[in-house]
Amino acid sequence: MKTAVKANFFALMLAFPVCFSLAIPARAAGPDAAAYPEFFDAAEFQQVRDAVFHTEILYENGVLDEAQPADAEGGLETSYKMFSLKDPELLPALQNGSDLSGLISDEYVWIVATAANQSIRAAQVDGEWEVLGYSTPRSETATTNVVRLEPLNAGLATLSASQASIDRLVCFEAPMYHTNFVYLDTSGGAFLVPFGSRPDLTGLENGMLYTPEEVGGILSASFGGGYSGNGNAGIGGSAAQSSGWEPVAASGAVLLAAALGAVLFALPALFRRQSKQG
C-alpha cells in the first residue's frame, strides 16, 4: 500500500510542472516589419534571390561564396523593398507638414544584404529582376544606410505597447540626406526611423523613432535651418553602429533606376549581368 501511495505521489509531482507549463499562455511573437508587403514580399523575393544567385560577377568579386551559396540566404532576413520619392527634396515637405505617404512613389528596388554587410541592389527591367550593383563596407567602424530589422522591430514594439496600430510600413530613400527612412503610418500619427551613412552630418540617430516634425527640425539645423532642439530627440531606442558601404559596381540598367530616383550608387562602373553556369 505504501509503495502505491509513494508511486502516486511521485506521479503527481511530475505531472504538476507539465500541467503548470500548459496553463501558461504562449508568448505572442513581437511586431515584425517583414509582415508588411510594402516592405517585404516573400514570393517576389524568391525571384530577386534567383537573380542574385545567377549573377556571376557577385561570385567573381567575392560578394557571394560559390562554395557555400546558401550563405546568401541570410539576406532573407535583411532584404526589403526600397521606394523612391516623387520629389527628392524631402526637407520642405517635412517643414510644411505635408502628408509623407503621398510623396512616396510606386517605384522601388530591392536591397539584399549579405552576412558580411555587403549590399546588393536589384530592380525589375523589362519584366525580369536584375542585379544593378553591389557595395561593400568601407570599414568596420563606418555607419551604413542599410535598414536593420532589430532596431526597427524594437520601434514597432514601442508603438504596439502604446496601443498604436501600424497601418502602413514602407522604406524610402532620401539620397540628398545620405539616409534611408522607414515610414510608419499609425493610429497615433506618422513616424520615421532613419538609417543613414552620415548621422554625423544629419544629426539623426540610426534606428531611432522620430516624428516627421522632429526629423524636419533636425535636418533644418543640420542643413542651414534655425532649429535649436535636441538633435537626438525621439521616442525609440538607438541602433548599434554598423559598417558603412560604398558602391563598387552596377549594370547599364542603373541609368534607368537613376531616372526613377535610385541614386544610392555614386560613380557606378557598368557591367553586364551573366548567368551563373550550373
Side-chain angles (χ1 to χ4, degrees):
M1 182 69 177
K2 290 183 179 180
T3 302
V5 171
K6 181 181 288 189
N8 289 335
F9 174 78
F10 282 112
L12 288 172
M13 292 296 292
L14 291 173
F16 177 77
V18 175
C19 294
F20 181 75
S21 64
L22 292 175
I24 300 175
R27 183 179 179 181
D32 186 1
Y36 293 82
E38 282 188 295
F39 186 83
F40 184 85
D41 182 323
E44 187 172 89
F45 176 71
Q46 291 308 310
Q47 302 175 38
V48 175
R49 176 181 174 276
D50 289 344
V52 168
F53 282 166
H54 289 84
T55 301
E56 184 66 25
I57 197 170
L58 297 178
Y59 296 90
E60 293 174 353
N61 290 356
V63 179
L64 298 181
D65 186 351
E66 191 166 3
Q68 296 178 316
D71 286 352
E73 290 190 30
L76 186 65
E77 298 178 355
T78 52
S79 301
Y80 51 91
K81 299 177 183 179
M82 175 74 73
F83 287 77
S84 59
L85 291 175
K86 296 176 182 178
D87 184 348
E89 181 54 81
L90 177 64
L91 184 53
L94 293 171
Q95 292 175 322
N96 296 333
S98 301
D99 180 10
L100 294 183
S101 64
L103 296 179
I104 302 173
S105 77
D106 296 328
E107 306 294 337
Y108 65 90
V109 298
W110 273 88
I111 302 297
V112 180
T114 70
N117 287 330
Q118 294 168 306
S119 301
I120 302 167
R121 188 182 184 95
Q124 198 168 42
V125 180
D126 297 329
E128 300 290 336
W129 287 98
E130 292 190 7
V131 171
L132 299 183
Y134 63 91
S135 62
T136 56
R138 289 192 296 268
S139 72
E140 293 183 357
T141 58
T143 53
T144 178
N145 57 7
V146 174
V147 172
R148 301 297 178 188
L149 287 181
E150 184 177 352
L152 176 57
N153 286 337
L156 299 186
T158 298
L159 292 173
S160 295
S162 67
Q163 305 302 312
S165 62
I166 303 169
D167 302 316
R168 187 184 184 193
L169 187 151
V170 58
C171 183
F172 67 85
E173 55 188 345
M176 292 185 67
Y177 306 103
H178 314 280
T179 304
N180 297 325
F181 290 93
V182 178
Y183 168 76
L184 305 172
D185 186 6
T186 81
S187 59
F191 295 92
L192 291 171
V193 183
F195 292 90
S197 60
R198 292 295 309 274
D200 57 318
L201 178 64
T202 64
L204 297 171
E205 187 172 349
N206 286 346
M208 182 75 77
L209 197 64
Y210 295 93
T211 65
E213 292 76 16
E214 286 177 319
V215 172
I218 294 169
L219 289 181
S220 291
S222 300
F223 289 88
Y227 182 77
S228 60
N230 180 4
N232 285 325
I235 65 173
S238 62
Q241 297 300 305
S242 53
S243 300
W245 56 281
E246 61 183 358
V248 296
S251 72
V254 80
L255 297 178
L256 173 62
L260 300 174
V263 292
L264 281 181
F265 285 37
L267 303 178
L270 299 181
F271 71 84
R272 292 182 59 187
R273 173 179 170 269
Q274 304 175 357
S275 295
K276 184 179 182 294
Q277 300 299 320

